[in-house]
Amino acid sequence: MGTPSKQDNTLTPLTNNRVAPKKGLRAPQRDESKSRTTLCIPKGMLTAAHTAMQNSGFSLKRRSQWIEEAVEQFLSMPGFIDLVMEEFIEPGGNTTIPVTLRSSLTSRIDTEIESIRATGNFTIERSGVLRTAISQAILRQRGRAHAG
């Protein structure tokens, strides 16, 4: 007994209720571990982010990848922390979305946050960094990003 293959309409034998892999096909290998986080984001920003993603060729299924790229570019900007300090949440108009980031990027964000907190002057959270990175990616897509 088997199931039809999507590629060639032949039957592939079942073993322990699983489809046997065809020769030469392997599951994609993960390059790096991931960490999940949630992000509270204004609804208007989420709509603008989805538009910027689609204009950049990203589907909504690749939202976390787009956010990762936005954060990496943002953390590379000189003076990025000044932009985080200006960031704010709109009362009542926010939504929470799940985001999966590479563990190394999460660690980089946390390291930057800890270095800022060590000065004793500011309290910054990961969500603030993510929202500001998204804002910059939206502005960059529109041709109006902060130059640093």
Side-chain angles (χ1 to χ4, degrees):
M1 188 159 198
T3 60
S5 167
K6 290 181 181 180
Q7 292 179 349
D8 58 12
N9 293 330
T10 62
L11 294 179
T12 304
L14 293 176
T15 308
N16 297 332
N17 295 329
R18 300 176 101 182
V19 175
K22 293 188 175 198
K23 276 189 172 180
L25 297 180
R26 296 185 318 183
Q29 300 296 314
R30 290 186 175 194
D31 294 342
E32 189 176 332
S33 64
K34 300 283 185 176
S35 64
R36 289 192 57 87
T37 189
T38 56
L39 169 63
C40 184
I41 185 170
K43 291 177 183 176
M45 181 187 284
L46 183 58
T47 300
H50 286 168
T51 300
M53 286 186 304
Q54 290 170 342
N55 290 342
S56 300
F58 283 82
S59 68
L60 295 181
K61 289 183 178 181
R62 294 177 53 211
R63 178 172 62 197
S64 289
Q65 182 183 357
W66 183 84
I67 291 173
E68 277 188 339
E69 289 182 16
V71 171
E72 286 176 335
Q73 288 179 349
F74 176 65
L75 292 177
S76 298
M77 292 172 53
F80 77 90
I81 200 62
D82 295 329
L83 295 170
V84 175
M85 301 313 298
E86 296 173 10
E87 187 271 332
F88 65 94
I89 295 284
E90 298 173 12
N94 303 306
T95 188
T96 302
I97 61 170
V99 178
T100 305
L101 305 173
R102 289 186 321 278
S103 294
S104 63
L105 184 57
T106 302
S107 294
R108 183 174 170 198
I109 294 167
D110 292 344
T111 299
E112 295 289 351
I113 289 170
E114 286 305 314
S115 69
I116 301 303
R117 286 182 181 162
T119 66
N121 296 330
F122 304 106
T123 301
I124 299 172
E125 295 184 8
R126 187 184 300 159
S127 286
V129 173
L130 296 176
R131 280 190 299 274
T132 308
I134 291 168
S135 294
Q136 287 298 297
I138 292 167
L139 292 172
R140 193 170 29 262
Q141 195 272 326
R142 293 178 181 171
R144 301 186 330 214
H146 182 271

